[in-house]
Amino acid sequence: MQPKLKFLDRYLTLWIFLAMATGIGLGHFFPGISKITNALTAGTTNIPLAIGLILMMYPPLAKVDYTLLPKAFKDKKVIGVSLLLNWVIGTALMFGLAVLFLRNEPDYMTGLILIGLARCIAMVIVWSDLAKANREYTAMLVALNSIFQMISYSFLVWLFINVLPSKLGLANFNVSVSMKDVTESVLIYLGIPFFAGFLSRYALIKSKGINWYNTKFVPKISPITLYALLFTIVLMFSLKGDKIVELPMDVLKVGIPLIIYFVIMFFMSFFINKSLKIPYDKNASVAFTATGNNFELAIAVAISIFGIHSPQAFVGVIGPLVEVPVLILLVRASLWLKKKYYA
């Protein structure tokens, strides 16, 4: 039986629009909300927002089975292709699209680069299941991406935002980030949920068993990511009333390069894998892992480094709004390609 998107996931784009509208309404009718928000801030960290961002990252990381990694490295061809697509081609492609479409708007350009550097560890399981991919391989690739993100995200942000633009002579690009600040953000917003997910998985499987963990615990915590994301969006948009008039055009500016990125990455990945004679189930796992992005991490880092009001954080919110409908169409494309080339 062909799996279907769960109700919450199927209408994610709608929930994001409703969260934006709710935030705008709160900001308009309750202007004092900014004072409440500021009162709950310690230093530069908004405490409710920080809790929301960490909760947003916890469920996908609690689902990752790191015991699959040794098995993953045995299939060197598939793992090598996946690493190349994710950490070289994918990051370079998003950087190129950001430069091409947004070089005159460096804040949005930075936000898009942050998304490109955050490789997918959450929704890819959903897309892979829908496309009849190899779930175990998808899980292995997600585990691999999780480890790589912990190790490399700070360096890649420094490289793609501070170094490459100046080397390429992008005079209009005047944004820089501190590698120290990004590292701190990654340790907080990826490190804390990473270790919480790892420890809870280890402890609960040991006490309750793997079947209970996958069939009872994981379904219970999965919606937390969406709720935390929507909470973040409501809070962001309640504080961005002055920017709302520009919203439709800004969504379009960010959405176009994202759509192009998703389409190019998927078809490039699929046909590279096909040329290497990789079976369909593994092909789809690699293709969807390379195509999706970890918007939760990009949003967390953007808010932490540039602030909740920042254009970079706004770009992060637009990401899942665009991703869901496009990836649903790419799932259909994948199943069509399976019939055409793997019948």
Side-chain angles (χ1 to χ4, degrees):
M1 183 179 176
Q2 173 67 22
K4 294 182 179 180
L5 271 178
K6 294 179 180 177
F7 178 76
L8 288 174
D9 294 328
R10 190 184 313 137
Y11 297 106
L12 179 57
T13 299
L14 174 62
W15 307 142
I16 292 172
F17 273 122
L18 289 176
M20 289 177 174
T22 302
I24 294 167
L26 285 172
H28 179 75
F29 293 107
F30 302 99
I33 196 169
S34 59
K35 292 182 180 179
I36 298 173
T37 302
N38 292 333
L40 297 171
T41 298
T44 58
T45 303
N46 178 266
I47 296 170
L49 187 63
I51 293 171
L53 291 169
I54 290 170
L55 287 174
M56 187 164 63
M57 292 296 298
Y58 170 71
L61 289 164
K63 297 175 187 177
V64 177
D65 185 357
Y66 297 99
T67 62
L68 293 172
L69 282 175
K71 186 176 180 180
F73 284 110
K74 292 180 181 178
D75 196 336
K76 295 179 181 178
K77 180 167 72 172
V78 173
I79 293 302
V81 171
S82 179
L83 290 174
L84 176 67
L85 288 166
N86 273 283
W87 298 98
V88 179
I89 295 175
T91 53
L93 176 61
M94 189 72 91
F95 177 80
L97 290 170
V99 171
L100 181 64
F101 284 90
L102 298 168
R103 63 181 297 167
N104 294 322
E105 298 192 54
D107 292 333
Y108 283 168
M109 179 174 161
T110 307
L112 207 62
I113 292 170
L114 288 175
I115 291 173
L117 300 177
R119 311 313 299 167
C120 193
I121 62 171
M123 284 293 285
V124 65
I125 299 289
V126 176
W127 308 130
S128 294
D129 280 354
L130 292 172
K132 298 183 179 178
N134 186 314
R135 185 161 196 172
E136 186 181 56
Y137 257 80
T138 303
M140 288 191 289
L141 296 176
V142 166
L144 197 63
N145 278 346
S146 300
I147 298 294
F148 262 73
Q149 278 187 29
M150 285 288 295
I151 297 169
S152 66
Y153 191 76
S154 303
F155 169 75
L156 290 172
V157 170
W158 170 80
L159 177 66
F160 277 84
I161 293 178
N162 289 358
V163 178
L164 288 182
S166 61
K167 294 290 185 183
L168 295 173
L170 301 176
N172 294 329
F173 189 80
N174 56 5
V175 178
S176 63
V177 297
S178 162
M179 191 170 175
K180 174 178 173 290
D181 290 343
V182 179
T183 302
E184 288 178 359
S185 297
V186 171
L187 288 174
I188 293 170
Y189 298 113
L190 186 57
I192 291 174
F194 177 91
F195 286 108
F198 180 85
L199 290 174
S200 61
R201 182 180 182 89
Y202 175 79
L204 290 173
I205 288 177
K206 190 173 182 180
S207 62
K208 297 281 192 176
I210 185 70
N211 186 60
W212 178 90
Y213 188 86
N214 287 331
T215 61
K216 301 292 185 183
F217 183 71
V218 168
K220 286 284 186 185
I221 64 170
S222 292
I224 293 174
T225 295
L226 174 59
Y227 299 147
L229 172 63
L230 297 178
F231 168 77
T232 302
I233 292 169
V234 169
L235 188 56
M236 285 176 61
F237 278 81
S238 69
L239 303 172
K240 286 179 68 71
D242 58 326
K243 290 285 185 180
I244 299 309
V245 176
E246 304 166 18
L247 177 63
M249 186 54 67
D250 288 358
V251 171
L252 196 61
K253 285 178 185 176
V254 175
I256 290 173
L258 276 173
I259 291 169
I260 295 171
Y261 170 84
F262 292 137
V263 172
I264 290 177
M265 276 306 296
F266 174 77
F267 285 105
M268 182 194 305
S269 301
F270 188 94
F271 284 106
I272 287 175
N273 295 332
K274 180 181 173 294
S275 70
L276 295 172
K277 302 189 185 315
I278 293 174
Y280 172 80
D281 62 336
K282 294 180 182 179
N283 185 344
S285 292
V286 173
F288 280 104
T289 306
T291 302
N293 291 89
N294 185 354
F295 294 102
E296 297 89 351
L297 177 61
I299 292 169
V301 171
I303 289 174
S304 178
I305 301 300
F306 298 104
I308 192 171
H309 305 276
S310 68
Q312 289 89 345
F314 175 77
V315 171
V317 170
I318 301 307
L321 187 153
V322 175
E323 182 189 43
V324 173
V326 175
L327 267 290
I328 288 173
L329 292 175
L330 289 176
V331 165
R332 293 179 181 176
S334 183
L335 293 170
W336 180 83
L337 290 169
K338 179 186 179 185
K339 290 180 182 178
K340 184 175 175 64
Y341 293 108
Y342 288 93

